[in-house]
Amino acid sequence: MSERGRFLLATLCGLVLAGIVHIVIVLAVPRLAENDAYGRLRHTASAEQAELVTVSGSLTWLPRPDPAVAVAACVFDLEDGPLRISAKAGDLFQSLSVHAKGGSVFYAVTDRAAVRGELELVVMTRRQLDEALAEEDEDEPSRDVRIIAPRREGFVIIRVAAPFPSLRAQAEETAKAVSCAVEGSEGVQG
Amino acid sequence: MTAKPLSTAALVVYAFAVALGLGVGSAYWALAGDYPFGGVAGGPWIAWPAVGSREVDPYARSIVTRRADIPLATGEGLVLTAAADSAGRQLDSACTYTVGAVTPQARLWTLTLYDQDGGFVPSELKRSGFTSAEVLRDDAGRFGIVLSRQLQAGNWLKLPDSGAFTLVLRLYETPAALGTGAIDAKTLPTIERGECA
């Protein structure tokens, strides 16, 4: 092979490998990122009550936060059992979203879906759902809203909007009041 | 021909250098800016509805985790970002702007101004944005928000001392988030540039 042909071949190999390197990096970032939202919220994992991410008047790690919205979070690891999220709907706009570690949202609901002022969700793995269904009494099916998590680790985000600055404290109270409790295997039936 | 084995080794090194340089460089470039795919434009505004859904693409996932962002889910609302005015010129804090007069249907919306680094630009009254409840409207329900460095009467947001800035319109609980992703520019506020210093 001529010198030029060998150089072109090497360039071609380099380009193909560059494509592979590019794809590997893009796919690896969500797995390897330590400072993502999950990593920054992880220290709240044992808390049963949602913790505020944004506190009025102070800086937060959240990029471009909405100044009119109080954000609270609960981190979960479904290894210990399903997670029961309970929120009380008030007059303010309130939304709950469930995020998987690695940058994807898999469920969201707003206070419009509240039943008698209560919003209750159970986040579980596919396996925990199968167990819950197997143990369930056929005459008395559970009324829980069950959400299947694509992976065990993730976090719940509660957003409560304060249309006026004077409602900020109320919005923060509402956001903090959301509870995230891990259910034991016997409590799965609800 | 004695140089040939050395030349092969050099070519292998060269190929790996190309692979690492281009691969790492292009990945960094792709993850440093805005989400590369799925952008939906409406006038000066752009939204990425898929970022708040299960169908998020790998680039957007990487960007979300790199920024430590928590995207608004599709069911919660829609985030629209503007970095240019309605004529396509980059937003510059040396100019004055008027934002108005309508927004798409939503239970609540907020309009927030951020400086180049994503920080708030609070006015002396600690205002860095407007909510749909706060904004003053005329009899027809239309509004106009003036953006300038100097204090103005009425709806006014302060611009940073220098540099570019970004406007973010968040529509909470909006039917627009549930649609196919097409946004009608006529339902969105325009960003008209006034005088520049």
Side-chain angles (χ1 to χ4, degrees):
Chain A
M1 204 187 282
S2 72
E3 277 300 303
R4 207 176 142 191
R6 294 179 45 184
F7 181 74
L8 284 176
L9 184 68
T11 306
L12 196 70
C13 289
L15 288 176
V16 170
L17 283 173
I20 296 169
V21 168
H22 177 96
I23 293 167
V24 167
I25 290 175
V26 169
L27 293 179
V29 164
R31 280 166 218 276
L32 301 180
E34 289 279 321
N35 278 331
D36 61 346
Y38 179 83
R40 287 171 199 255
L41 293 168
R42 194 158 43 196
H43 67 277
T44 66
S46 56
E48 292 239 319
Q49 217 70 18
E51 286 195 26
L52 283 179
V53 178
T54 55
V55 178
S56 58
S58 73
L59 287 171
T60 163
W61 49 266
L62 199 63
R64 288 188 189 170
D66 188 335
V69 172
V71 181
C74 298
V75 171
F76 61 79
D77 184 341
L78 299 175
E79 196 170 53
D80 308 327
L83 184 82
R84 180 176 291 272
I85 310 160
S86 319
K88 282 215 169 16
D91 318 327
L92 303 177
F93 169 85
Q94 182 178 5
S95 68
L96 284 176
S97 54
V98 194
H99 302 244
K101 185 188 173 200
S104 74
V105 194
F106 61 91
Y107 188 81
V109 67
T110 70
D111 57 332
R112 284 277 159 91
V115 180
R116 284 187 290 277
E118 299 260 358
L119 260 178
E120 198 156 294
L121 310 172
V122 182
V123 182
M124 45 179 39
T125 60
R126 165 76 52 194
R127 192 170 167 173
Q128 285 162 348
L129 175 71
D130 291 343
E131 283 170 9
L133 289 175
E135 286 174 19
E136 202 164 86
D137 187 346
E138 275 179 31
D139 302 324
E140 221 178 304
S142 163
R143 289 190 168 173
D144 291 340
V145 178
R146 289 164 166 165
I147 299 141
I148 306 299
R151 57 186 298 176
R152 284 197 342 254
E153 296 157 305
F155 53 94
V156 180
I157 290 292
I158 302 103
R159 289 184 168 98
V160 186
F164 297 101
S166 55
L167 292 168
R168 178 83 203 184
Q170 189 192 334
E172 286 183 358
E173 283 307 311
T174 310
K176 271 196 297 191
V178 173
S179 80
C180 306
V182 176
E183 299 205 321
S185 50
E186 59 281 336
V188 168
Q189 291 169 59
Chain B
M1 286 296 119
T2 45
K4 208 173 176 184
L6 182 76
S7 165
T8 306
L11 282 175
V12 169
V13 170
Y14 161 73
F16 276 102
V18 166
L20 270 182
L22 280 182
V24 174
S26 63
Y28 181 82
W29 175 79
L31 301 182
D34 281 329
Y35 306 115
F37 306 115
V40 182
W45 305 95
I46 182 159
W48 288 273
V51 174
S53 74
R54 281 172 188 247
E55 284 81 41
V56 54
D57 67 79
Y59 287 90
R61 284 168 75 116
S62 293
I63 292 171
V64 165
T65 49
R66 246 175 68 93
R67 287 186 193 159
D69 205 351
I70 302 176
L72 206 59
T74 311
E76 293 178 284
L78 190 66
V79 181
L80 295 142
T81 308
D85 64 13
S86 288
R89 295 166 295 204
Q90 196 191 32
L91 296 176
D92 185 348
S93 52
C95 303
T96 60
Y97 295 89
T98 310
V99 183
V102 290
T103 62
Q105 197 195 336
R107 183 159 147 208
L108 174 86
W109 58 256
T110 65
L111 181 79
T112 315
L113 200 152
Y114 300 94
D115 65 15
Q116 280 175 354
D117 308 318
F120 295 134
V121 190
S123 68
E124 286 69 20
L125 293 166
K126 302 261 190 293
R127 174 177 292 291
S128 44
F130 275 97
T131 70
S132 50
E134 289 169 323
V135 76
L136 303 169
R137 297 163 196 264
D138 66 15
D139 295 339
R142 298 164 72 84
F143 66 90
I145 300 171
V146 177
L147 318 178
S148 70
R149 285 191 222 158
Q150 284 81 35
L151 179 71
Q152 306 274 329
N155 300 317
W156 171 67
L157 284 179
K158 189 181 169 178
L159 289 179
D161 292 334
S162 66
F165 65 95
T166 315
L167 284 170
V168 177
L169 176 67
R170 292 182 174 89
L171 305 166
Y172 291 99
E173 210 164 61
T174 172
L178 307 169
T180 52
I183 308 167
D184 186 358
K186 273 180 281 182
T187 64
L188 289 167
T190 58
I191 306 169
E192 300 299 340
R193 191 166 95 174
E195 281 175 37
C196 293

